[in-house]
């Protein structure tokens, strides 16, 4: 059954003193995943009220895995281009390929965009992707 007002269910869990901060972070992440993102103002209020400012990067860094943490019409949604895997042999129950596989293959082939991946795109120019650097 779909939760109608997830914030009403979430707040008592977050304000409960007996829960650890990591459990509260998990609850906030579940809320963000279920609502496909939240506003910057709402996220800031949640982090302040729960008093997890020092661990807030655990929530905000999900944007680097293409999870829409902040959703608004002004926010630019960047999607990593997917590879065509229609010709690959797959098992019946494992047809889905995670985005991280595409990212890792692009990293191996030195095809990552230096604007999106500044620390991973600095391979030597003579490197041809044939071995580890």
């Amino acid at each position: 059954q779909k939760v109608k007002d997830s914030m009403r269910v979430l707040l008592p869990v977050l304000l409960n003193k007996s829960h650890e901060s990591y459990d509260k972070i998990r609850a906030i992440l579940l809320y963000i995943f279920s609502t496909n993102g939240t506003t910057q103002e709402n996220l800031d209020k949640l982090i302040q009220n729960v008093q997890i400012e020092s661990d807030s990067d655990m929530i905000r860094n999900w944007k680097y895995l293409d999870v829409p943490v902040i959703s608004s019409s002004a926010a630019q949604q960047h999607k990593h281009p997917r590879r065509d895997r229609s010709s690959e042999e797959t098992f019946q129950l494992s047809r889905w390929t995670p985005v991280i596989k595409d990212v890792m293959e692009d990293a191996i082939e030195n095809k990552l965009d230096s604007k999106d991946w500044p620390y991973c795109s600095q391979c030597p120019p003579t490197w041809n992707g044939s071995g580890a650097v």
Side-chain angles (χ1 to χ4, degrees), residues 11-127:
L11 280 177
V13 173
L14 295 178
L15 297 175
N16 189 341
K17 301 285 185 194
S18 65
H19 295 303
E20 293 185 28
S21 63
Y22 290 119
D23 293 332
K24 293 177 182 183
I25 290 171
R26 286 186 195 104
I28 292 172
L29 285 171
L30 285 172
Y31 167 73
I32 290 171
F33 296 159
S34 68
T35 58
N36 205 16
T38 186
T39 63
Q40 181 68 42
E41 179 183 326
N42 193 18
L43 181 62
D44 290 340
K45 283 182 183 177
L46 283 172
I47 290 171
Q48 268 184 341
N49 290 338
V50 180
Q51 300 171 350
I52 54 168
E53 288 89 358
S54 62
D55 295 327
S56 66
D57 286 342
M58 288 184 202
I59 297 170
R60 297 180 197 279
N61 286 344
W62 278 90
K63 69 182 175 189
Y64 297 118
L65 295 174
D66 282 339
V67 173
V69 175
I70 305 298
S71 67
S72 68
S73 59
Q76 178 185 3
Q77 294 294 323
H78 179 272
K79 291 286 183 184
H80 190 271
R82 299 301 310 259
R83 292 180 178 231
D84 180 24
R85 298 185 185 278
S86 57
S87 62
E88 287 185 11
E89 188 175 320
T90 59
F91 295 107
Q92 183 65 26
L93 297 175
S94 63
R95 292 179 295 225
W96 181 76
T97 305
V99 176
I100 192 70
K101 182 174 181 180
D102 292 341
V103 172
M104 294 306 296
E105 287 175 354
D106 287 346
I108 290 169
E109 296 169 6
N110 202 19
K111 292 182 181 177
L112 289 177
D113 185 17
S114 61
K115 184 172 45 174
D116 294 332
W117 305 92
Y119 300 106
C120 297
S121 301
Q122 309 225 347
C123 293
T126 58
W127 183 62

